[in-house]
Amino acid sequence: MDRLPLIAPRPPRLSDLSDALRAIEDRGIYSNGGPVVRGFEADLRDRVFGGAGDCLAVGNATLGLMLAIRQAAGPRAGRGMFALMPGFTFAATAHAAEWAGLTPLICDVDPGDWSAAEAAEAAAFARYGDRIAVVVPYATFGASIDLDRYAGYARLGTGVVIDAAASLGALDAQGRAFGTGAPFAIVYSMHATKVFATAEGGVVHSGDAALIERLRQMTNFGFAGARSAEGPGINAKLPEVLGTLAAEKLKAFEAVAEHRAMLDRRYREQLGGFASDNGFEFQVQQGRRQAVQCQSILLPRAFAGHRRGIMAALDAQGIGTGCYFSPHLGEQPWFRANAVIEPLPVCDDLSARILSLPITDAMMPADVDRVCAALMEACARLGRDGLEGLERRGTFVHSTLIVGGGPAGTALLTAASKQGRLADLAAGGMAIVERDAVLGRGSIGSYAITSDSTAETFLTAVKDNVHEAVAALEDHVSGQEIALHKGGRIGVPLYRATAFIEATGAQLGRIVIDHGGHVATRSEVVEARREADGIWAARVRNLTTGQERVMRAASIVIATGGYQSRDDIAAEVIAGSPLGALAGNRLVTGDDFLSLGGVDRLRVRTADMRAPRIAIVGGSTSAMAAAALLLKAAPALPLGAGAVTLHHRRPLRPFYHSAEAAWDDGFTDFGPDDVCPGTGFVYRLAGFRLEARELVLRMLSIGGRAPDPRLALRMIPQDEAGTRAAIEQADVVIGALGYRPRALPLFDEQGRRIALMADAPGRPRLVDQHCRVIDAAGRPVPGVYGIGLASGHVPDGKLGGESSFSGKANGLWLWQNDIGQMIVDQVLDSNAARRVA
């Protein structure tokens, strides 16, 4: 049976256009707005857009977007200004905004027509106001959208550019070509995969001919008449050869668009009644005709987690499929690191369930029937063998279930890969369940601080890795950005590290899948119960669809990180009284202050205060990070001498690479028990590093450094009365008192909740010295391990560290190396023993 590809380009054949190509050669004009391109622009304006305004052909639609967005932004293009766009669109939209000098501001979409939601746009305007220089809605999948709404934005002074890449051929409600006569730029694609298929190219249309002329000037380096740039510009011209293809395509274009619309109607007829109360969902159509590049449907929620299996089943029958746009913009590492992303629940839902089916110029209704029959059969088979089958009943046993695929969970994979054992770990049926859309990031990118791990630590995760795809990340653009911070005294800004750790997570996840493992994103493990045979049965919920299933595993690794509870922070006894009683409603958790926007929230709280007083309570890295944020805020906060006080229980210790380095710097407050016997490091575990270290050295006046007069240090045991008074008199109190482990509810064979050490008050441990999760009595829970923030492992023995250290060891390097390897060894040994048994 013939294969039905998802997309089958059918541009005009150059071999049939020899006369037109020879004419180009004879004229000797190949670009720069030659007669072929100019003739095509005029014909398109007259035949498609009814003579309204004008058209401009460009090298491709992305160039058209870049030009149009830059022109619409005008002098507002620059740092801190936004281009508002929906999350459910192609990456080119956001890239074009960045190239035009704007930051993408990504909002949610409407659940019906999948275009930007009016309420989401309104919320963005309410929050960001005139910082939104341009709005760039997407006419989703060749649809028509409400241009009146955007004309309203334009009248209020906001630039508007419509990304209509796939909509050349769409008809609006009045039967006109979508975008006809619009007062702003409408950008269409003529890529080979589009309904208006050429090799490459784009078109910008507007009812404002003067606007098109300004854009035309920008396509030619900003030249106006003389060869002297009078404004922004690039080379975006469409060459004559591609103009020839476009002119030829225009001749038969109407029939192509109508044929594809007929195939779309056939799909809707065939699939519209499937599983009536839980069926396939189609995009709500706006306008008289959609320009259909491929057929986009949403899978029933019960089948969303089985999309890969459905696509494989269709592929086996010679039917090509895709999933545009999954991931959506808010799920892609570059934009997660470089855009501002509003809540995207509808985008998340669409991305999880979207399935793209074939529509091509050569297809006939019988081909659509074949695709629909194959799709329904695949779903019916999954209903019998999948949704009600092995995995849902929990009869398949995964060797290991990693609960959490953030920095700690992926650090475990990194540790395995460094030993060359990741494939072995995955081959046993390892599964990873992560709440986010991707592996790696966790919540690390939501903080406004720098890392306490060096750039070198981040890069050692990939350097010389046995897996080539992982090793190549050292030269990836995100790896190069991390490398800029090598050798520095200040760590990598956490929000700038996310692209790298997500790229690393993506490669590690692929290795796991390629070797028989399983990765479930946008999912969470609700609880796990130990069965009589020692296997753990975990209840896993898909956060997008709400569907639940049981995953059985011989071992579980909890890598869900830590958290701060305001109630716990308030209950902490400081200078003889609960901190909450001393601070009242002036108390802010350290976690909230350190997150993105924390300084701005503090500005709002203290806006009416001429000289605010701020007390930080805690002696951890997060406490020092809070102090650093306050002192380096830009614009500066109105902090006078001693305005910030940091209250800590134990002396603040800086890290040094050797005792000699400490002595040379004038630091002598350490003894033999404070030196790691394995490395010679002074305060290897207890010492502050990077930015926090620099601040500690200043405040302790080490090596002749001058303290910052705005900050005062106060040892609580030495001056409890002073601490109480400072907290009671402070305008804001930041409780930076560490994190609690986020434990997973565990139940025994009788269904009774297992009380864990992590459930105890304060800041308890999750694990013992072998990274085994421990119950309330300190006994290891069989087959359950823990890693990550607040897990509580204290390195000893061959792991090194100073003998005087008694706190929790949190550090990316330890997770990616010694601690991670400890868990990998135990899990693989357990897997081997289980196979022998």
Side-chain angles (χ1 to χ4, degrees), residues 9-139:
R10 190 181 274 189
R13 294 169 59 88
L14 282 169
S15 56
D16 293 338
L17 301 172
S18 56
D19 290 344
L21 296 175
R22 190 173 295 111
I24 293 173
E25 293 175 343
D26 292 343
R27 283 190 295 270
I29 300 174
Y30 295 91
S31 187
N32 294 342
V36 175
V37 170
R38 286 298 180 92
F40 164 69
E41 292 170 344
D43 287 347
L44 185 69
R45 176 196 63 205
D46 295 340
R47 295 175 57 176
V48 174
F49 296 107
D54 207 349
C55 294
L56 170 65
V58 290
N60 58 59
T62 306
L63 289 170
L65 286 170
M66 290 165 59
L67 293 166
I69 294 171
R70 180 64 183 84
Q71 190 282 326
R76 302 171 70 191
R79 186 175 179 84
M81 303 301 285
F82 295 117
L84 176 62
M85 64 189 64
F88 197 65
T89 186
F90 189 52
T93 317
H95 279 310
E98 286 191 312
W99 283 110
L102 301 172
T103 297
L105 172 58
I106 299 171
C107 71
D108 210 2
V109 298
D110 183 88
D113 65 14
W114 308 346
S115 64
E118 185 172 10
E121 289 178 341
F125 273 107
R127 178 173 299 182
Y128 300 100
D130 58 8
R131 292 179 65 194
I132 299 175
V134 182
V135 180
V136 192
Y138 172 52

Side-chain angles (χ1 to χ4, degrees), residues 459-768:
L459 294 174
T460 56
V462 303
K463 185 177 178 60
D464 299 326
N465 198 282
V466 297
H467 300 280
E468 292 183 5
V470 176
L473 292 173
E474 187 174 11
D475 296 322
H476 186 272
V477 62
S478 61
Q480 293 173 4
E481 181 169 0
I482 297 293
L484 292 175
H485 300 275
K486 290 171 67 173
R489 293 184 300 175
I490 296 179
V492 183
L494 289 180
Y495 76 96
R496 301 302 302 173
T498 54
F500 179 75
I501 60 177
E502 287 187 14
T504 305
Q507 293 298 339
L508 293 170
R510 290 190 188 103
I511 294 168
V512 168
I513 293 170
D514 290 344
H515 288 85
H518 178 74
V519 176
T521 54
R522 293 208 180 279
S523 300
E524 66 176 357
V525 178
V526 179
E527 63 182 29
R529 297 174 182 268
R530 194 163 192 263
E531 299 181 336
D533 58 0
I535 299 299
W536 288 95
R539 183 158 61 94
V540 180
R541 177 183 299 135
N542 185 305
L543 295 174
T544 301
T545 67
Q547 298 290 318
E548 291 191 357
R549 58 179 169 174
V550 172
M551 297 179 70
R552 301 182 72 226
S555 301
I556 292 177
V557 180
I558 300 174
T560 47
Y563 70 100
Q564 275 192 349
S565 161
R566 193 181 190 284
D567 290 342
D568 287 334
I569 297 296
E572 188 88 18
V573 175
I574 303 296
S577 298
L579 181 58
L582 295 174
N585 60 10
R586 295 168 292 121
L587 178 63
V588 175
T589 66
D591 193 68
D592 178 71
F593 177 69
L594 295 176
S595 64
L596 292 172
V599 172
D600 291 335
R601 290 189 289 273
L602 183 137
R603 287 185 196 279
V604 173
R605 290 179 68 117
T606 60
D608 298 329
M609 302 174 189
R610 184 173 181 179
R613 293 164 298 179
I614 302 167
I616 303 171
V617 182
S620 63
T621 295
S622 60
M624 296 308 301
L629 267 186
L630 288 168
L631 298 178
K632 68 181 183 181
L637 294 165
L639 302 175
V644 180
T645 55
L646 190 146
H647 305 267
H648 53 102
R649 294 189 177 102
R650 291 179 292 274
L652 305 178
R653 309 296 197 187
F655 164 85
Y656 282 95
H657 281 99
S658 67
E660 292 75 16
W663 291 327
D664 289 345
D665 200 29
F667 180 74
T668 59
D669 189 12
F670 64 94
D673 289 345
D674 303 318
V675 180
C676 172
T679 63
F681 295 166
V682 177
Y683 293 121
R684 176 190 172 192
L685 300 177
F688 290 99
R689 299 179 183 236
L690 299 172
E691 186 174 35
R693 176 179 184 270
E694 291 301 310
L695 184 55
V696 168
L697 291 174
R698 286 187 63 187
M699 299 311 299
L700 297 180
S701 301
I702 302 299
R705 295 171 176 85
D708 191 312
R710 297 171 295 174
L711 175 63
L713 304 182
R714 194 185 299 272
M715 279 274 288
I716 298 173
Q718 296 176 1
D719 187 4
E720 289 195 352
T723 291
R724 290 177 60 91
I727 293 174
E728 290 173 340
Q729 295 168 13
D731 299 299
V732 176
V733 178
I734 300 174
L737 290 164
Y739 290 79
R740 290 179 56 86
R742 186 178 284 111
L744 176 70
L746 300 175
F747 297 83
D748 64 16
E749 295 90 332
Q750 286 75 43
R752 297 171 301 201
R753 179 76 177 262
I754 300 174
L756 301 178
M757 182 71 73
D759 300 326
R763 295 185 298 281
R765 297 178 64 174
L766 174 68
V767 302
D768 64 10

Side-chain angles (χ1 to χ4, degrees), residues 349-361:
D349 182 52
L350 299 181
S351 178
R353 296 197 287 139
I354 196 76
L355 180 65
S356 309
L357 301 172
I359 283 185
T360 67
D361 294 354

Side-chain angles (χ1 to χ4, degrees), residues 820-834:
Q821 289 171 13
M822 179 188 298
I823 297 176
V824 170
D825 291 343
Q826 292 179 87
V827 167
L828 287 176
D829 288 348
S830 176
N831 292 348
R834 182 168 165 265

Side-chain angles (χ1 to χ4, degrees), residues 179-209:
T180 297
F184 29 69
I186 315 286
V187 183
Y188 309 88
S189 174
M190 300 189 297
H191 189 269
T193 59
K194 297 296 189 287
V195 177
F196 195 104
T198 68
E200 183 63 277
V203 171
V204 185
H205 168 72
S206 175
D208 183 350

